[in-house]
């Protein structure tokens, strides 16, 4: 089975690298896509295809690829209209193309409406502000050209191309880590607190280091402490996806409720550096939403108020201590570790 991926809208400036600017271009996938989208259980199977796009001088570039569905929750049957995809390139086929630096690319597809995907894209842009140890994201338009699909399934709709883990690690002079027994206390503290407070900011409790639930680990070498890198933010309160619910064990009423899920740290001085970091970035954080051309004004205004509440807490010594020392409470749910969906 063969597939074609057409990319339109490239400028000559884009040939330097896929993530170098925020220009939105269109992707058209063609082939037996109905078969691909049906692959929702068990081990996903790769299918051969081709990727084609028009470069800056209007010439057509064709790259053989393999593609399959990916993920857990959003791949499961009955949840999302379009499961996430993985595009796999061979090095010899992608030379001198816009994908020259890519090996594998995740393509996040809309689950229950593209508006929530656009919101998630903005969360990736937020964490890019927080740290270079973050996944780069590219917003694209997607069209699925397959007569077996219903018109509304074909698009166009928005999708997100995500940087691969190994490339993100290499960009930071590090390597991806696949250790199985790593606890939050054993990771690099500044990076962990940066991630944990960020997840608190966006109202995300769907993560854990122990089970690698929406967290990747990178390190300088095998002897170094690992750094934590978050991804998959669709269950966060700032996105408000209709299917997003906090784990029952957390005893929370809504994903909009913030809950700090780091480990117990009695000395609040450890948070001084990360709080100062978030305060320094306050203006660009707000600008991600206030200056967005993709979000509606109602959502922007409600999100700015959500950010207001976060900053009111971290700049109030009494409130921030109460929130960030929650994992120390014996009668709380700070001991709960999120495993996520496992097949």
């Amino acid at each position: 089975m063969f597939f074609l991926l057409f990319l339109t809208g490239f400028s000559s400036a884009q040939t330097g690298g896929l993530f170098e600017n925020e220009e939105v271009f269109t992707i058209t996938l063609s082939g037996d896509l109905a078969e691909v989208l049906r692959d929702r259980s068990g081990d996903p199977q790769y299918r051969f295809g081709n990727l084609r796009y028009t470069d800056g001088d209007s010439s057509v570039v064709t790259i053989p690829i393999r593609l399959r569905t990916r993920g857990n929750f959003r791949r499961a049957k009955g949840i999302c209209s379009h499961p996430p995809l993985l595009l796999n390139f061979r090095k010899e086929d992608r030379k001198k193309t816009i994908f020259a630096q890519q090996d594998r690319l995740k393509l996040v597809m809309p689950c229950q409406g593209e508006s929530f995907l656009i919101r998630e894209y903005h969360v990736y842009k937020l964490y890019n502000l927080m740290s270079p140890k973050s996944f780069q994201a590219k917003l694209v338009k997607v069209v699925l050209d397959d007569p077996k699909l219903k018109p509304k399934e074909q698009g166009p709709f928005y999708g997100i191309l995500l940087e691969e883990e190994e490339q993100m690690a290499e960009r930071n002079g590090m390597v991806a880590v696949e250790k199985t027994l790593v606890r939050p206390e054993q990771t690099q503290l500044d990076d962990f607190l940066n991630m944990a407070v960020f997840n608190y900011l966006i109202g995300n409790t769907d993560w854990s280091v122990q089970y690698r639930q929406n967290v990747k680990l990178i390190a300088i070498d095998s002897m170094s402490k690992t750094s934590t890198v978050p991804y998959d933010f669709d269950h966060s309160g700032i996105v408000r996806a209709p299917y997003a619910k906090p784990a029952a064990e957390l005893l929370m009423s809504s994903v909009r409720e913030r809950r700090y899920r780091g480990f117990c740290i009695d000395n609040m001085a450890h948070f001084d550096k990360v709080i100062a970091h978030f305060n320094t970035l306050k203006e660009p954080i707000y600008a991600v939403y206030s200056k967005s051309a993709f979000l509606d004004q109602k959502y922007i205004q409600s999100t700015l108020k959500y950010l207001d509440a976060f900053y009111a807490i971290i700049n109030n010594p009494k409130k921030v201590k109460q929130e960030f020392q929650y994992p120390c409470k014996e009668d709380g749910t700070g001991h709960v570790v999120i495993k996520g969906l496992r097949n």
Side-chain angles (χ1 to χ4, degrees):
M1 197 67 64
F2 286 88
F3 303 84
L4 294 176
L5 181 60
F6 301 92
L7 286 81
T8 61
F10 274 114
S11 64
S12 58
Q14 287 179 298
T15 58
L18 183 63
F19 298 103
E20 285 190 358
N21 62 58
E22 297 184 8
E23 241 178 275
V24 177
F25 55 88
T26 299
I27 295 172
T28 301
L29 286 161
S30 65
D32 192 356
L33 299 174
E35 181 180 354
V36 175
L37 299 184
R38 282 197 299 266
D39 193 354
R40 303 281 190 124
S41 61
D43 293 329
Q45 301 299 308
Y46 271 115
R47 293 171 174 84
F48 290 100
N50 289 303
L51 180 155
R52 190 169 78 185
Y53 71 93
T54 303
D55 66 12
D57 62 4
S58 298
S59 61
V60 176
V61 180
T62 301
I63 310 172
I65 63 169
R66 295 186 301 155
L67 72 166
R68 63 169 175 82
T69 54
R70 52 163 292 275
N72 290 302
F73 181 85
R74 283 190 268 193
R75 180 180 170 237
K77 292 181 180 179
I79 296 175
C80 296
S81 60
H82 298 78
L85 300 178
L86 184 67
L87 311 179
N88 197 320
F89 304 80
R90 293 193 309 172
K91 185 175 182 179
E92 57 269 30
D93 295 325
R94 53 186 164 86
K95 291 180 179 179
K96 298 181 180 181
T97 74
I98 189 66
F99 298 97
Q101 300 173 13
Q102 314 305 320
D103 181 20
R104 293 172 297 171
L105 276 176
K106 294 178 180 179
L107 175 59
V108 184
M109 305 277 270
C111 181
Q112 294 185 20
E114 62 179 354
S115 63
F116 303 106
L117 180 140
I118 295 172
R119 295 178 185 182
E120 185 178 10
Y121 165 75
H122 284 74
V123 181
Y124 279 102
K125 305 309 289 185
L126 277 187
Y127 203 66
N128 291 156
L129 294 174
M130 298 290 110
S131 172
K133 298 172 186 175
S134 57
F135 287 98
Q136 294 181 323
K138 181 78 172 179
L139 192 65
V140 294
K141 272 288 188 177
V142 181
V143 175
L144 303 181
D145 183 13
D146 182 355
K148 294 181 181 178
L149 296 174
K150 298 177 181 179
K152 65 178 182 180
E153 294 175 317
Q154 297 179 31
F157 46 74
Y158 282 104
I160 306 172
L161 290 174
L162 285 181
E163 180 182 30
E164 62 179 314
E165 180 182 357
E166 290 78 10
Q167 187 183 52
M168 178 273 295
E170 183 179 359
R171 177 166 51 79
N172 286 282
M174 306 173 85
V175 296
V177 175
E178 295 297 334
K179 293 180 181 178
T180 56
L181 298 175
V182 178
R183 297 183 60 82
E185 299 92 329
Q186 298 170 318
T187 64
Q188 207 285 331
L189 183 59
D190 287 345
D191 288 333
F192 177 83
L193 292 181
N194 195 56
M195 179 197 71
V197 174
F198 177 79
N199 276 319
Y200 177 81
L201 178 152
I202 64 173
N204 185 34
T205 60
D206 186 34
W207 62 276
S208 69
V209 172
Q210 295 93 322
Y211 288 96
R212 301 297 190 279
Q213 176 65 10
N214 298 329
V215 175
K216 296 293 185 182
L217 300 180
I218 60 177
I220 295 175
D221 53 48
S222 60
M223 303 299 293
S224 303
K225 283 191 172 183
T226 56
S227 293
T228 50
V229 183
Y231 68 101
D232 275 11
F233 305 111
D234 59 315
H235 276 73
S236 65
I238 206 168
V239 171
R240 285 185 280 173
Y243 52 79
K245 296 179 181 179
E249 296 87 347
L250 296 180
L251 305 178
M252 297 172 63
S253 60
S254 165
V255 292
R256 293 286 284 178
E257 179 184 350
R258 288 190 170 99
R259 173 73 57 79
Y260 180 73
R261 293 193 39 77
F263 55 90
C264 175
I265 298 179
D266 289 315
N267 186 355
M268 286 299 295
H270 287 292
F271 290 95
D272 289 348
K273 185 177 179 180
V274 68
I275 290 174
H277 183 51
F278 276 77
N279 278 325
T280 300
L281 291 172
K282 182 176 180 179
E283 185 175 341
I285 285 173
Y286 276 68
V288 167
Y289 293 94
S290 63
K291 296 184 178 180
S292 174
F294 303 101
L295 298 169
D296 64 82
Q297 284 300 312
K298 183 177 180 181
Y299 173 75
I300 290 174
Q301 292 305 314
S302 66
T303 301
L304 295 181
K305 291 180 181 179
Y306 195 61
L307 295 176
D308 286 342
F310 167 80
Y311 276 99
I313 290 171
I314 67 168
N315 288 297
N316 182 312
K318 183 178 180 179
K319 288 184 178 180
V320 74
K321 181 177 180 179
Q322 180 181 357
E323 291 296 300
F324 287 1
Q325 287 194 351
Y326 178 84
C328 303
K329 294 181 61 175
E330 294 183 1
D331 60 346
T333 62
H335 64 283
V336 174
V337 179
I338 303 299
K339 296 183 180 181
L341 177 64
R342 292 290 182 268
N343 292 329

